[in-house]
Amino acid sequence: MISSLRGRVTHADDDGVVVEVGGVGLAVAVTPAVGRSAHIGAELMLHTTLIVREDALSLFGFDTREELRVFTQLLGVTGVGPKSALGVLSSLTVGQIADAVAGEDDAPFRRVSGIGPKTAKLIVVQLTGKLDHVVSSGASGGGSAVAPGVAAQVVAALVGLGWPERTAAPVVEEVLADAPEADRASVPALLRLALAQLGPRRKEVIGG
């Protein structure tokens, strides 16, 4: 299973990106926002899942682990395939999805292309009680979105400064959850916040 990848972007559009890892270009289906935020020649890190079908192997990539977890939960809903699940995450943030399910409101899902009224109701019914981790992790209840690609850029910057990715990624997720709304789309602001969090851990990381 390919759970994440990091490499140089060689192609990007609304439908997906190609990330070169160890000389191999991997095609990854992403949301349009992630595709638009990716820059040719820049490094990109994605949380991924490999979908295996009889006639194809398809990689789907996300900016955060929360998006990946919600994508996986959506795949468990009757009638929702990978493309439909990606469509939901292209239209709604994880916070908006969790709020809609908690409020038993299927209207947001009915507005997603490819999701009919019956499937929208099934999403609400079958995801009830399964998205508590999204709410408790600090997902925005008001539905304000973090700019796609921002978290990956901050993690990449921290790795470039010498922090292990296993240390940097969780801290960036914490910072995103607690940051003021005005800072959540700013790479420099989030990087400063992450460095402030990581500062006290430097001795532990270096010592380990």
Side-chain angles (χ1 to χ4, degrees), residues 19-168:
V19 181
E20 186 179 278
V21 181
V24 178
L26 299 174
V28 189
V30 297
T31 63
V34 171
R36 288 192 293 268
S37 72
H39 301 289
I40 305 299
E43 186 175 76
L44 179 66
M45 194 277 281
L46 294 170
H47 299 281
T48 60
T49 184
L50 179 66
I51 305 296
V52 180
R53 295 286 185 266
E54 290 184 3
D55 58 346
L57 300 175
S58 303
L59 266 176
F60 289 79
F62 302 91
D63 188 40
T64 68
R65 278 197 175 88
E66 285 303 325
E67 290 174 314
L68 175 58
R69 292 176 70 182
V70 172
F71 177 79
T72 302
Q73 295 282 10
L74 284 165
L75 291 180
V77 176
T78 304
V80 177
K83 289 185 178 180
S84 296
L86 187 64
V88 172
L89 283 161
S90 296
S91 303
L92 303 168
T93 67
V94 292
Q96 289 171 329
I97 293 169
D99 285 348
V101 171
E104 300 182 0
D105 180 14
D106 65 359
F109 303 114
R110 284 189 275 111
R111 291 192 287 268
V112 177
S113 177
I115 301 293
K118 181 179 179 180
T119 302
K121 291 183 184 297
L122 285 172
I123 290 174
V124 172
V125 171
Q126 295 185 14
L127 291 190
T128 296
K130 296 182 178 180
L131 299 181
D132 293 343
H133 66 278
V134 175
V135 177
S136 63
S137 70
S140 172
S144 84
V146 177
V150 168
Q153 291 178 58
V154 177
V155 170
L158 291 170
V159 170
L161 290 172
W163 293 98
E165 185 176 323
R166 66 179 182 277
T167 301

Side-chain angles (χ1 to χ4, degrees), residues 164-191:
E165 185 176 323
R166 66 179 182 277
T167 301
V171 169
V172 171
E173 290 183 6
E174 292 174 18
V175 166
L176 281 171
D178 298 332
E181 184 173 345
D183 291 342
R184 299 183 77 221
S186 169
V187 172
L190 291 174
L191 182 57

